[in-house]
Amino acid sequence: PIEYSKDQLAVIVHTSGTSSAKPKPIPLTHDNFNFYAHQTIGANMPMAVGDRALHMLPYFAAFGIVDVTHAGLCHANNLIQIPEFTPSNFGKLIKKYKPQTIIGAPSWFLALSKDDTLQNADLSFLTMATYGGDSMDVEDEIRINDFLKKRNSRCVLTKGHGMSETCGCASYATKEYNVPASVGAPMPLTIYAVVNPETKELFKFDDIQEYLEGELVISSGAVTPGILDGKVIVPHKEYNGESYIFTRDIARMDRN
């Protein structure tokens, strides 16, 4: 038996390096991992016992080790490990393994509509297709959804927003929340807020504002404690009694 220890380090993942030239190590705890897994249940992600899920995302990224591996195992998915992957093989892998779940980067899905392997394929087995890690043009999203629909897919593309610091996914766009060009709604028990990028002052809606625009900040049990080897590497700030991290992402938030 292993005794529970709060905020026990589970892994050190790395950022993509987009905010600096050097990827930054991000500590994630067992509590972070399991909080994220519970969020996927609360968000009603269509992952069922025995579902096959293609896994091509690397383990050094939170997107790979938490969102696909840990969550997939928590849902009792059959993870099909693809250790060496190129987007040009994407269609062949889908046709061979007939997965219910595909989680990947936009470029993978953009390659699908041009893949001769799937031109006459039946994709009725597909129940979840989600992209993250980068953005996609609305026109491309519509085109890929049309491609999936014509091949009997039971799903459309879903997507989200997140960081290594939030275990990967922190917001999710699905069903009525899947508005083109949006990142959906915060995951269950996750709070998104908008602050002034310069002063870090919290913005609030007044009676007539339709939306707020500024830097996103996130509060969640999936957020890294931000401390490694006794040093603060991800600073937190408190707003209204909740602890938030800064994303450095500028976004527009509507009243929904």
Side-chain angles (χ1 to χ4, degrees), residues 18-209:
T18 52
S19 59
S20 66
K22 186 179 180 181
K24 183 169 60 179
I26 303 296
L28 296 176
T29 67
H30 293 284
D31 299 89
N32 293 151
F33 268 55
N34 291 329
F35 191 94
Y36 176 78
H38 281 288
Q39 285 187 314
T40 64
I41 296 168
N44 290 322
M45 288 189 178
M47 304 162 77
V49 171
D51 276 1
R52 293 181 298 278
L54 283 182
H55 182 206
M56 293 83 74
L57 290 160
Y59 283 96
F60 64 74
F63 199 13
I65 197 168
V66 184
D67 298 26
V68 181
T69 307
H70 183 67
L73 293 174
C74 287
H75 285 273
N77 288 171
N78 175 10
L79 300 183
I80 301 167
Q81 305 286 322
I82 310 297
E84 209 169 333
F85 172 74
T86 61
S88 60
N89 291 331
F90 198 25
K92 294 177 184 176
L93 293 170
I94 292 173
K95 193 169 184 178
K96 178 179 179 180
Y97 292 110
K98 294 181 170 53
Q100 280 69 62
T101 300
I102 302 170
I103 302 175
S107 58
W108 302 1
F109 293 101
L110 290 171
L112 278 188
S113 59
K114 302 172 185 175
D115 195 324
D116 293 336
T117 309
L118 298 179
Q119 289 310 310
N120 298 310
D122 179 9
L123 300 180
S124 57
F125 51 81
L126 193 61
T127 57
M128 183 180 183
T130 297
Y131 74 85
D134 204 348
S135 60
M136 183 185 293
D137 291 338
V138 176
E139 294 77 11
D140 287 329
E141 188 177 333
I142 292 170
R143 177 166 56 83
I144 294 166
N145 282 336
D146 184 58
F147 175 87
L148 295 173
K149 183 178 180 181
K150 287 179 179 176
R151 285 154 186 81
N152 304 317
S153 170
R154 289 180 282 165
C155 69
V156 296
L157 277 179
T158 56
K159 66 272 185 182
H161 168 268
M163 310 159 65
S164 299
E165 292 89 335
T166 66
C167 280
C169 177
S171 76
Y172 186 53
T174 183
K175 298 180 180 177
E176 66 267 30
Y177 298 105
N178 197 358
V179 179
S182 85
V183 295
M187 293 280 276
L189 305 178
T190 292
I191 307 170
Y192 270 53
V194 177
V195 302
N196 184 308
E198 303 299 328
T199 65
K200 308 303 181 184
E201 177 187 359
L202 184 69
F203 285 149
K204 296 180 180 180
F205 280 104
D206 60 25
D207 293 335
I208 60 171
Q209 281 177 296

Side-chain angles (χ1 to χ4, degrees), residues 204-213 253-256:
K204 296 180 180 180
F205 280 104
D206 60 25
D207 293 335
I208 60 171
Q209 281 177 296
E210 294 183 15
Y211 60 84
L212 301 175
E213 188 168 305
M253 180 187 292
D254 67 23
R255 288 182 176 273
N256 289 325

